[in-house]
Amino acid sequence: MHFLKSRFTIVLTILCVALVAVPVASARHKEPAGPQKIIYIPHDNRPISDKQTAAVVEKLGYDVIVPPTDMLGSRDNLGNPDALWTWLEENAKGADAAVISSDSMLYGSLVGSRKHTYTQEQVLDRAKRFRTFHKEFPKLKLYAFGSIMRTPRTGEASGHEEPEYYRNYGADIFRYTVLKDKQEVEGLTRREKKEYSFLEKLIPQKSLQDWLGRRTKNFAANEEFIRQTRDNVFSYYVLGRDDNAPYSQTHMESRHLAEEGKDLGKTQFQAMAGIDEIGMLMLTRSINDMRKEMPFVYTRYNWGRGEFTVPSYSDEPIRDSIASAIAAAGGMAVRSPEKADLVLLVNTNPNGKTGEANDRANDGTPRDGTKYFADIVNDCVAAGYPVAIADIAYANGSDNALMKELKDRGLLFKIHAYAGWNTATNSTGFVIGEGMLIKHMKPEAVDDLLVTRYLDDWAYQANVRNTMARQLTWLRGDGFYGSLDGKMDAVKYRSTRMMTRFVEDNLPPMESLEEIEVTFPWNRMFESDILHGPHVEPQYFTMKK
């Protein structure tokens, strides 16, 4: 009898363990029941912010609902926040999650945040509208991201997206805020105090008050959003530091806002470097929450300064930015590639400096660290790890030497994700978000996303753009790099031909590359929209099969 009771106890114990274990094991790989609906409101209609980000999630089978392109802000159209609120309320029913740019809902767009003329009362009324919206749709999980306004180093660096006076006084305003921030943190030398006083008199007070006044409104709105996060209006709220520096107005405001939200922790709120990639990170987090997953990410850097690199347009070591991005996307950093869902390889320069993709040094000639890093990629691929590459040796485009190594070694389509666009934080954040989702995609979807980045970051940003910029003066018509205007058609035609030739020389024959067309939706060369695939009917050029 005792023997039977013992056997019964053992069997019962095994059954209990099995019943407990099943939900735990299945939770990590829970598949969505049918197409789930995610609302996504980006901060403008640039291809990378808008359709390229949405496309990643669509490849998983989710129904991503985005406002019409003409409703989103652009370079010249600051956007319509009231129309976006109406659109959001009309589309919220039946949605499982909403990833929303708070800048779009307050000012119409990211550019709108820098140029608007709304009063502080109008801005705060729109900010508080999220509370009402949450009460109307309490089951809809809200993931919001906003910006701590940027502080461009010069008028030229602002890309004409700041008020007119910034063209003349941008460098002075930047330096003024450097000293203002430094004064708070460590104090100023006697010489710096004199410089600070001189700049206060040099910069027209009306211009300085306008610039700082707009930031005061933005700061107040961000404080309100932190309070809303504390009140569980948002499932997650991120504040991105747009183009930034170790000392600047942006850095100073970020310190104060981080202090305001320090009780929330990184499971609810972050103030982090970057901005354009945060839509991707929040979409990824929303999916990880739906699937009840926490992807593990292992990160390895090139030799040299590596993780201690402080890239251009950032105010912190890249390791801190990557840690923030992993947490924001709902993942966890691990110390072993064997345990990782994503192996992130970061291409940094050994000397810790970040160049520009249009530097003459970016001519494809191997540099210190090029072959070493390519060896790391090769070894990780050979080991069967899911590899993602954050290519940040240069800002605003790929490292041509690295890409040549990857091509020559046959690795371009053996990795799982790649990014080398715009700033270092843009690239690392975007590839982390995309890379976490790759494991749920079909191989052809993974290849298609790689093609998108290779066309944009490598072919266009690091090569065609620079060549085309040098040829602009040859073309008839009015226009320049920042405003193509009358040169637009000629630039489209020549860029499409150059892109096609680049693809023929560097990428394998693929159906999605049979037709290519390059357009410039923001009327400037800094970014492009590259249409490709058999569905494209190019106006300018067709590749030979």
Side-chain angles (χ1 to χ4, degrees), residues 202-345:
L202 174 68
I203 303 167
Q205 283 303 300
K206 184 178 179 180
S207 299
L208 189 59
Q209 288 171 8
D210 175 78
W211 192 76
L212 291 174
R214 203 170 284 108
R215 302 185 73 100
T216 298
K217 299 169 190 176
N218 189 67
F219 189 91
N222 285 331
E223 285 184 312
E224 167 62 18
F225 288 140
I226 291 172
R227 289 191 289 270
Q228 291 184 26
T229 306
R230 192 176 288 117
D231 295 337
N232 297 312
V233 172
F234 300 120
S235 295
Y236 205 87
Y237 185 60
V238 176
L239 271 174
R241 296 193 292 277
D242 205 355
D243 293 356
N244 198 14
Y247 280 122
S248 66
Q249 186 72 19
T250 306
H251 179 259
M252 181 171 69
E253 291 171 8
S254 179
R255 285 191 293 103
H256 293 305
L257 288 167
E259 181 68 20
E260 176 70 23
K262 68 180 182 180
D263 61 303
L264 294 172
K266 289 189 176 183
T267 58
Q268 288 180 281
F269 164 74
Q270 278 200 81
M272 56 186 283
I275 184 63
D276 289 341
E277 75 281 8
I278 297 181
M280 182 74 257
L281 290 170
M282 288 297 93
L283 282 168
T284 301
R285 187 180 189 91
S286 72
I287 292 168
N288 283 331
D289 284 352
M290 286 182 198
R291 292 177 173 269
K292 294 181 171 56
E293 294 185 352
M294 180 180 285
F296 294 162
V297 181
Y298 169 77
T299 305
R300 183 172 177 182
Y301 300 83
N302 202 352
W303 73 275
R305 292 286 297 168
E307 62 185 311
F308 301 105
T309 298
V310 179
S312 303
Y313 312 105
S314 183
D315 62 352
E316 65 183 13
I318 192 61
R319 66 173 182 180
D320 295 345
S321 301
I322 287 174
S324 295
I326 292 171
M332 177 182 289
V334 294
R335 296 183 178 182
S336 170
E338 290 84 7
K339 296 179 180 179
D341 298 296
L342 180 69
V343 171
L344 177 67
L345 304 181

Side-chain angles (χ1 to χ4, degrees), residues 8-26:
F8 177 78
T9 303
I10 292 169
V11 171
L12 184 62
T13 302
I14 291 171
L15 286 173
C16 289
V17 170
L19 287 170
V20 171
V22 168
V24 174
S26 62

Side-chain angles (χ1 to χ4, degrees), residues 155 163-172:
E164 287 293 321
Y165 54 76
Y166 210 89
R167 297 187 190 185
N168 296 322
Y169 293 98
D172 298 319

Side-chain angles (χ1 to χ4, degrees), residues 460 492 495-496 499 516-520 528-531 540:
Y460 180 74
K492 285 182 180 179
S495 295
T496 296
M499 284 289 293
I516 295 176
E517 183 181 0
V518 183
T519 63
F520 300 92
S528 65
D529 189 10
I530 303 165
L531 309 176
Y540 301 101

